[in-house]
Amino acid sequence: MFLFMIVWAVIVFSALITVKGNPIYTLIEELPDDAIDLLADYMNHPPDEFPEELRAKFMQLGRYAIGQILLFLVEMLTAAYLLDKFFILAITIIIKDLVLILVSFYTMKYPKVSSEKIFNPLKTLPAWLISLDRFSYLLSSLIFIYIFFKMNV
């Protein structure tokens, strides 16, 4: 029963991201141009006065990031657990996630953590990477829908 709920949760969240887009990208696009630099400054040296609206957006960005990480971990762990019953589909999920991570890191070319411009690559994400991310969530949704119905048969 617990596995059904996990698979269902992955289906729902993956489908939402497929349809509406990744909320992290959407939120970053909505931020003012200087907000990314403000965030980097805030992380290095918290200022006394920080705009409340931006603080709320940054907190929301953090929650979305944690949610995405949890979704990724649940997806990977569920796929690993289902390797014996759905080998090809589980391997597809695992490989898809690993390839997406590698492509994202290679494309983003993250600066060193100590850099003041650590968040700037987030504003200039290529459109094909965003589309690849949505396709990845679509693939996850379809695979987990299939697994969900096969588990219920």
Side-chain angles (χ1 to χ4, degrees):
M1 181 68 170
F2 185 67
L3 185 60
F4 292 125
M5 293 183 338
I6 290 174
V7 170
W8 183 249
V10 171
I11 292 168
V12 169
F13 287 113
S14 295
L16 278 173
I17 293 173
T18 300
V19 172
K20 292 185 174 184
N22 193 322
I24 293 175
Y25 301 150
T26 306
L27 185 61
I28 288 172
E29 287 176 358
E30 293 173 357
L31 290 174
D33 290 337
D34 62 339
I36 299 295
D37 293 332
L38 268 171
L39 178 58
D41 291 341
Y42 180 75
M43 291 184 70
N44 291 331
H45 308 287
D48 293 333
E49 293 183 20
F50 196 70
E52 188 59 38
E53 181 181 321
L54 284 179
R55 182 188 309 257
K57 292 255 186 210
F58 293 149
M59 295 295 286
Q60 188 177 17
L61 182 66
R63 286 190 299 273
Y64 285 154
I66 290 170
Q68 295 269 324
I69 291 169
L70 288 175
L71 179 60
F72 167 76
L73 290 174
V74 166
E75 186 176 291
M76 291 289 281
L77 291 173
T78 305
Y81 180 77
L82 294 171
L83 273 172
D84 61 337
K85 294 181 183 176
F86 301 98
F87 181 78
I88 293 175
L89 297 175
I91 286 293
T92 303
I93 290 285
I94 292 169
I95 291 172
K96 171 201 64 88
D97 285 344
L98 294 176
V99 166
L100 188 64
I101 287 172
L102 291 173
V103 168
S104 296
F105 278 127
Y106 178 76
T107 304
M108 295 273 298
K109 297 178 183 152
Y110 276 107
K112 294 180 181 175
V113 175
S114 62
S115 170
E116 293 179 12
K117 305 293 184 188
I118 188 171
F119 296 102
N120 281 351
L122 296 175
K123 281 293 247 193
T124 59
L125 289 172
W128 66 266
L129 183 61
I130 295 171
S131 297
L132 182 65
D133 186 51
R134 285 180 96 159
F135 176 75
S136 169
Y137 283 107
L138 173 64
L139 187 60
S140 292
S141 297
L142 294 176
I143 289 174
F144 277 106
I145 286 171
Y146 179 82
I147 289 172
F148 183 79
F149 285 118
K150 281 295 187 182
M151 289 171 63
N152 283 323
V153 173

